[in-house]
């Protein structure tokens, strides 16, 4: 056999490239001999067809709250016999993940239309105009913090041990907050809050300038006597769509207070009140300015969502 010629620089570069890309010497040999053509693929054979996968996607899209068992049952009824594990794997491959759903207010078609109309009317309001709005809201804070509270370290068999139990009450102690403490809010007490707290706050914030007051459609807010109170005091009230906490930036302040309360873990009603006051006092003017500046984006989000709840 004659001596073979040395590899050229170009050939060497090609070989180096193939090696870097993970191409083995045996793979090159199989390709040259023609043995790689029609070679069987490794791995488990797919047990469903593309048509079956499309059917599963339609089943998932029909109701996003179905259990894995429900999905398997309906897929089986459509003619695809498979296991729960296969259903789970296919749903994952489609990009779906099982998550705790966001909780948003229920909106009927009429309410969605009113939200959309309201947002369209306010679409061109500037941040300066929104800065003239005094946003308000009530929020109830309880001694119980649900499942977000502290966890417990315990061993097997200590589940019912008293020191490993977390006490719960059916009606936990709570306070209602409207920028100041209040026990409950009805039409009369709400007007008293407006008189003693809202007016002084508005005077401090706006001086002699005009402002617009915002509140939601709670019964105490829309009572005839409350409407008369605003008329008598010459205060303009912003019309507001029902079930629209995502449009009220003060909701974000309540979230800040709630998170701080989880860290404080008050044990008595007095501690709860003190913690709320401290949390509220820690909110900076910059945070308030950023939230007011978000109003144009909130408006656009409602329009894009055609009145449905938004991320805010």
């Amino acid at each position: 056999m004659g001596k073979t010629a040395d590899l050229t620089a170009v050939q060497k570069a090609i070989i180096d490239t193939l090696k870097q890309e993970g191409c083995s010497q045996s793979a090159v040999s199989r390709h040259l001999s023609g043995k790689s053509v029609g070679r069987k693929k490794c791995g488990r054979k797919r047990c469903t067809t593309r048509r079956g996968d499309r059917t599963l996607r339609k089943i998932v899209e029909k109701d996003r709250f179905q259990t894995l068992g429900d999905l398997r049952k309906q897929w089986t009824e459509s003619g695809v016999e498979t296991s729960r594990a296969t259903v789970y794997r296919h749903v994952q491959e489609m990009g779906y993940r099982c998550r705790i759903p966001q909780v948003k207010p229920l909106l009927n078609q009429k309410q969605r239309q009113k939200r959309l109309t309201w947002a369209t009317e306010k679409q061109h309001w500037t941040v300066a105009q929104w800065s003239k709005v005094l946003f308000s809201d009530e929020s109830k804070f309880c001694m119980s913090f649900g499942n977000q509270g502290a966890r417990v370290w315990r061993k097997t068999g200590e589940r019912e041990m008293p020191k490993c139990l977390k006490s719960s009450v059916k009606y936990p102690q709570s306070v209602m907050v409207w920028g100041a403490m209040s026990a409950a809010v009805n039409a009369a007490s709400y007007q008293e809050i407006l008189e003693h707290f809202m007016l002084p706050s508005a005077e401090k914030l706006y001086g002699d300038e005009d402002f617009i007051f915002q509140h939601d459609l709670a019964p105490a807010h829309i009572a005839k006597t409350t409407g008369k109170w605003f008329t008598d005091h010459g205060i303009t009230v912003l019309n507001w769509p029902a079930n629209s906490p995502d449009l009220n930036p003060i909701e974000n302040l309540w979230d800040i207070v709630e998170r701080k309360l989880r860290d404080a873990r008050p044990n008595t009603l007095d501690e709860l009140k003190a913690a709320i006051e401290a949390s509220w006092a820690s909110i900076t003017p910059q945070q308030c300015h950023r939230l007011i500046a978000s109003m144009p984006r909130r408006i656009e989000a409602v329009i894009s969502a055609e009145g449905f709840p938004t991320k805010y």
Side-chain angles (χ1 to χ4, degrees):
M1 184 179 230
K3 184 179 179 182
T4 58
D6 293 334
L7 295 172
T8 66
V10 174
Q11 290 172 327
K12 290 179 180 179
I14 293 174
I15 293 173
D16 290 338
T17 301
L18 290 173
K19 183 178 181 181
Q20 290 173 1
E21 293 182 354
C23 185
S24 65
Q25 183 178 344
S26 59
V28 174
S29 177
R30 285 196 303 271
H31 173 72
L32 293 175
S33 63
K35 293 181 180 180
S36 62
V37 180
R39 190 164 178 251
K40 291 184 179 181
K41 294 182 179 180
C42 298
R44 181 188 297 176
K45 182 180 179 181
R46 194 171 184 85
C47 62
T48 61
T49 63
R50 291 183 178 180
R51 181 178 180 181
D53 292 345
R54 288 196 298 270
T55 301
L56 178 59
R57 187 185 296 274
K58 290 179 181 178
I59 293 172
V60 175
E61 288 290 340
K62 183 173 65 175
D63 182 1
R64 297 294 191 93
F65 288 85
Q66 297 178 90
T67 64
L68 199 59
D70 293 333
L71 296 177
R72 178 175 179 254
K73 180 181 178 182
Q74 291 191 57
W75 208 19
T76 300
E77 291 173 351
S78 72
V80 181
E81 283 286 349
T82 187
S83 65
R84 287 169 60 96
T86 300
V87 174
Y88 180 75
R89 187 173 65 253
H90 279 61
V91 170
Q92 289 270 312
E93 290 174 355
M94 292 176 186
Y96 298 102
R97 299 293 183 271
C98 189
R99 297 286 188 264
I100 298 175
Q102 287 274 64
V103 180
K104 297 286 185 178
L106 179 64
L107 294 167
N108 57 39
Q109 184 176 357
K110 185 177 180 180
Q111 290 170 331
R112 294 198 300 270
Q113 185 57 51
K114 285 187 175 181
R115 277 167 54 88
L116 182 58
T117 301
W118 185 91
T120 303
E121 292 172 352
K122 306 292 187 296
Q123 187 175 14
H124 300 296
W125 275 35
T126 64
V127 174
Q129 286 175 291
W130 285 114
S131 297
K132 294 292 184 181
V133 178
L134 182 59
F135 291 92
S136 73
D137 191 34
E138 294 89 15
S139 185
K140 188 176 184 179
F141 293 94
C142 302
M143 293 294 297
S144 174
F145 296 92
N147 294 327
Q148 299 296 324
R151 294 172 178 261
V152 62
W153 292 99
R154 72 184 186 204
K155 299 177 181 178
T156 303
E158 295 181 342
R159 181 176 180 178
E160 305 299 330
M161 185 177 291
K163 65 180 181 181
C164 293
L165 297 178
K166 180 181 177 182
S167 299
S168 64
V169 292
K170 190 172 183 180
Y171 302 105
Q173 289 183 301
S174 63
V175 290
M176 182 71 75
V177 180
W178 189 96
M181 297 299 169
S182 173
V185 179
N186 54 33
S189 62
Y190 181 59
Q191 292 160 37
E192 187 175 342
I193 289 172
L194 295 174
E195 187 79 42
H196 296 293
F197 297 104
M198 190 276 282
L199 285 182
S201 297
E203 184 176 351
K204 183 178 180 181
L205 291 169
Y206 298 104
D208 295 330
E209 295 181 15
D210 292 334
F211 72 95
I212 301 173
F213 183 72
Q214 179 278 334
H215 59 181
D216 58 25
L217 303 183
H221 301 176
I222 60 176
K224 290 183 179 179
T225 54
T226 301
K228 183 178 183 301
W229 186 94
F230 281 108
T231 301
D232 293 343
H233 287 79
I235 297 174
T236 302
V237 178
L238 182 68
N239 65 310
W240 195 253
N243 285 351
S244 299
D246 55 342
L247 287 170
N248 194 344
I250 201 173
E251 295 287 348
N252 297 83
L253 298 186
W254 295 137
D255 289 340
I256 293 173
V257 173
E258 185 71 32
R259 289 196 297 270
K260 290 181 180 293
L261 289 180
R262 290 199 186 107
D263 294 333
R265 307 296 301 174
N267 295 310
T268 67
L269 199 58
D270 287 339
E271 288 182 4
L272 176 62
K273 293 178 180 179
I276 293 172
E277 289 180 337
S279 300
W280 186 265
S282 70
I283 296 171
T284 66
Q286 289 75 20
Q287 288 175 299
C288 296
H289 294 163
R290 285 196 296 269
L291 289 173
I292 295 297
S294 72
M295 284 305 298
R297 297 194 297 275
R298 294 170 189 258
I299 297 297
E300 290 298 332
V302 171
I303 295 174
S304 298
E306 298 183 345
F308 279 93
T310 67
K311 67 177 183 178
Y312 291 97

